[in-house]
Amino acid sequence: MRREFKEPGRPRPDLVIGREELFAGAREQLARGGSVLVHGSAGIGKSTILRALAAADEESVRTVLRCSATESESHLPFLALTDLLGLVLDEVSDQLPAPQRTALESALTGRGESTLQRDGLALRLAVLSTLRALAAKGPVLIVADDLQWLDPASVELLGFAARRLGELPVRMLCAVRTSTDPHGHEQDRYLRASPPDTLALRLTPLSRTHVAELLENRGYTGLPRSAVRDIHRTSGGNPLFALELGRALADSPTPPRPGEQLPVPTSLRTLVLNRLDMLSAEARRTLLVASAGARPTVALLRAAGRENAEAETAQAVELGLLAPEREGPGVRFAHPLVSAALYAEATAQERRAAHAALSTAAVDPIERARHLALSTHGADPLVAARLGEAAAVARDRGAPSVAAELGLLAARRTPADATPGPDERRLQAAEDALTAGENDLGRDIAREVLSRATEPAERVRAWMVVIDAAGQSLAEVDAVYPQVLADAGDDPRLLGLVRYQLAWRALVLEGDFAQSREEAARAAELAARAEDRRTELLALSFQAQTEMLMGHPDAPATIKRALKEPQDPQLACHHNGAGATRFRWLMMSDQLGEARATITSLLREVRRRGMVESEVHYVRFLAETELRSGHCGRALDLAREGYVLARDSGIGEGASAMLTSLAEAAGGDVERARALAREAADRAEQDGDLMYLSRALGALGHAQLVAGDAPGTVQSLRRVRELEDGLGIYDPARGRWHGDLAEALVRVGELTEAQDVIDVTRQQALRLGRESVLAVLDRAEALVRAARGEQEAAVRQLTSAQDRLAKLGYGLEEARAAFALAGLRTAQGPGLARPGAAPASGPGSYDEASRLFRRCRALPWLRRVEEAAVAPAPPQQPAIAPSALDALAVLAATERQVAELVMEGATNREIAGRLYISVKTVEATLTRVYRKLGIRSRVDIVRLAAGHRTN
């Protein structure tokens, strides 16, 4: 293949997007003294990885030897060897035996007649001796790119030396082009010419998210997500192809219209079509028809007039343009870019002819309509009607993205005076784009309509798309609301739509629940008056959500109104519909089993309908359900899946990061949990979204608690408390952060504030009947009591809380109660055993907590249990005489506990762990103890105890 193209912009060798895990594995291999062979298809990023690894490893080696080659140079003997050793020969030549030195100098300089046949042994030994001499002075790194183009003589000599390096500090870092077939073993012959411990790493295509990140890093920042999706699909995840397509799209004065393929630059056409000249003209036409089809088969090509399709496609397979189909009758291009380049090479007339042939050959009505549209141009009411019907079929099939594409094609074919008109078709296409998660496409279509529309109904409908496309970033569209109200006039149907959006604005931007509820109720009333059932249902569902968060007594009644018939079939499964509102109510009411069944059914339906935004929400909701149930591994898998989906679609990224943080803290990596929570908080701050800011800070506080950072937890959750008080969120089942805050406050010694959090929250939870919240509050209050010295009461309260959480199905919270209970019993000895259970102390007392956390797959919590279980038990001290205890009577409860533990010989860290407070709190408490007892140090406390001991 020719190498006449370059990556656009300035390549950054240190940029290894999407290869982080592979890169880390390669670095570990090199650090161990091993070698690495990177292989993959053309443009997949081998050279980038090679440069980055070499740059990262350069400081640890003394000598770096480099070579690379091109196809045109591969016939020149010893060229690669010259690149490798030409600059270091003088450094080591005097250490080589004369025959070896002569043979090597002859090969490297070209002065002489050295060949492998004539000087084979001497040359082989000379290369090995050179590497040994260099290695004697320090580690050596050999970097060889494009091994497939290295001349055979150099490959043979390098392989001979590589197999005999033994324990020498010589590592090889190589890259070779192999086919795209994942089952191919072309790299094996290169491994045989590498050191025995070489690690082979195959580079696979990048995901859509990583392609987007790559384009962003190379300066292509203005591309819409729909364009990035097309770039990923056309490039097949190949980074070089993606960058070239991105450059071509960025440079194009007019972006491709719906139904058209991406512009393919000449460099890529030359690269992938260099074998096309070997096909006959008829075979090329057959391949063009195949490139125009969505799912081409030999039978379809025959029906489209390509009589010799079987023989012509077989010829294309032999040339590597088509991939052999092992299963099924499909015709598959070797790479998506081959199809795109072939289509781009054709003239407009040739493309129309291909689509015309397929418009009669295709069986599927959607395909027939699409090809009919692309085979004609100009307004045609018949074609427009066919496309509109096909769009409806696609919508019913759960393919809203296809429906949007067909709708836009229909708009282009619709005469200006037709009914429905061109802009009405465009707005339907924009709404389909939103359903498919292509918010940027929907927004752009709507703004195009707004630039010329004068009808209030069309303008308001377009504004609704613009606002919905903003998602949680309503601050970006805040300035449009006055114009939307003006366009709506006094039409109750239009005003209902606008008031519904104003309800969201009041909640997200203003944090005003009362205003939000009032706007939603007005929207429902206006929509009912206008007999707009869809808007009425949306408004009622939203009103119910705000009432739930407010702890409003009307919430159950409003949910029932939202669930009444008639229902809109699509809205019934929408993430802002009544079904989703009912799920939230079930979750807050501790009905986890029914909540799981509800959200599973909703998720199945939105996937069937292709409703991407709702899918993002529902994957997150299902993950939350599993997390509450204590299925931490399943929750983590779902949360990660949802986070990837959110990033790919650009929808709900902050909310997905927040939930993934909670799942990571429960079953994954605590540091990643903290990073995700901070990401979610930063995004919410930028969007001005106070609702999700409180959720994100709640997740951050929880992650900090799991990590053992009690002061950080207090700081984060105090802000959550302040935010939710200001917002008017009074249902503690919404964020469930209250128990974490109380526990953290106990750990830092703020017992009064901890009890206040518990008392205030308990009052709200009792009013709303939130049983799981009450049990968690009891768990936190037991820790307060333990810190005050009420050990037996604390154990009884923890035991009760654990039993209630188990009955409610909150597995992780049950395990946390068992962990706290084990900590109390271990600290206080066997006298506080669970009623009816055998006394336990030391490591064995953590067995139940360990079992429960293992059942949940709560790995971070399990690590904390293991750390507590292996901690040395405090030495048993003789009993302290009553007179010594009398001396402590002047102390407060916490001060007395700390003093007693000092008398027992506990260190400050041990005291902190046993009382769930920080070491700094222990130190501050001891300072107060010294002052009250008139002593100077902990030694004086021990003396006090010793002076009053009984015999």
Side-chain angles (χ1 to χ4, degrees), residues 618-639:
Y618 289 162
V619 170
R620 186 172 75 247
F621 290 171
L622 182 55
E624 183 179 0
T625 308
E626 299 295 353
L627 190 58
R628 298 285 175 223
S629 303
H631 305 150
C632 299
R634 172 70 173 150
L636 183 58
D637 291 342
L638 283 166

Side-chain angles (χ1 to χ4, degrees), residues 268-326:
L268 290 187
R269 295 188 206 178
T270 303
L271 175 65
V272 300
L273 299 179
N274 61 344
R275 287 155 290 182
L276 199 62
D277 292 339
M278 301 174 70
L279 286 175
S280 66
E282 288 300 310
R284 288 185 63 157
R285 277 192 278 273
T286 296
L287 288 191
L288 174 61
V289 175
S291 73
R295 294 176 297 276
T297 63
V298 172
L300 178 66
L301 294 176
R302 284 203 206 98
R306 310 311 305 163
E307 297 177 357
N308 298 319
E310 192 163 3
E312 290 163 351
T313 54
Q315 184 186 3
V317 168
E318 291 178 4
L319 291 172
L321 293 165
L322 294 178
E325 279 292 345
R326 297 182 178 86

Side-chain angles (χ1 to χ4, degrees), residues 54 178 197 235 386 458 515 525 546 600 634 651 689 726 747:
T178 52
D197 61 348
S235 68
R386 292 266 303 272
E458 283 189 348
Q515 178 67 21
E525 180 186 349
T546 57
T600 300
R634 172 70 173 150
I651 296 170
D689 187 342
R747 292 189 186 182

Side-chain angles (χ1 to χ4, degrees), residues 555-593:
T558 308
I559 293 174
K560 287 181 181 178
R561 288 175 61 198
L563 289 169
K564 279 184 179 178
E565 296 293 340
Q567 290 286 325
D568 181 305
Q570 185 171 9
L571 188 59
C573 62
H574 192 274
H575 60 277
N576 286 328
T581 302
R582 179 172 177 271
F583 161 78
R584 292 183 178 95
W585 176 260
L586 291 169
M587 285 288 288
M588 295 172 77
S589 303
D590 300 324
Q591 300 177 60
L592 296 181

Side-chain angles (χ1 to χ4, degrees), residues 207-281:
S207 67
R208 188 199 300 184
T209 300
H210 289 136
V211 165
E213 187 178 348
L214 178 67
L215 292 167
E216 180 88 13
N217 273 281
R218 295 302 176 92
Y220 304 128
T221 56
L223 300 177
R225 287 184 180 273
S226 54
V228 173
R229 178 204 61 199
D230 291 341
I231 289 173
H232 176 256
R233 182 178 59 210
T234 304
S235 68
N238 184 297
L240 176 61
F241 298 171
L243 287 169
E244 284 289 293
L245 290 168
R247 178 185 60 78
L249 193 58
D251 292 346
S252 176
T254 55
R257 294 183 296 183
E260 295 181 345
Q261 296 199 25
L262 291 172
V264 180
T266 303
S267 59
L268 290 187
R269 295 188 206 178
T270 303
L271 175 65
V272 300
L273 299 179
N274 61 344
R275 287 155 290 182
L276 199 62
D277 292 339
M278 301 174 70
L279 286 175
S280 66

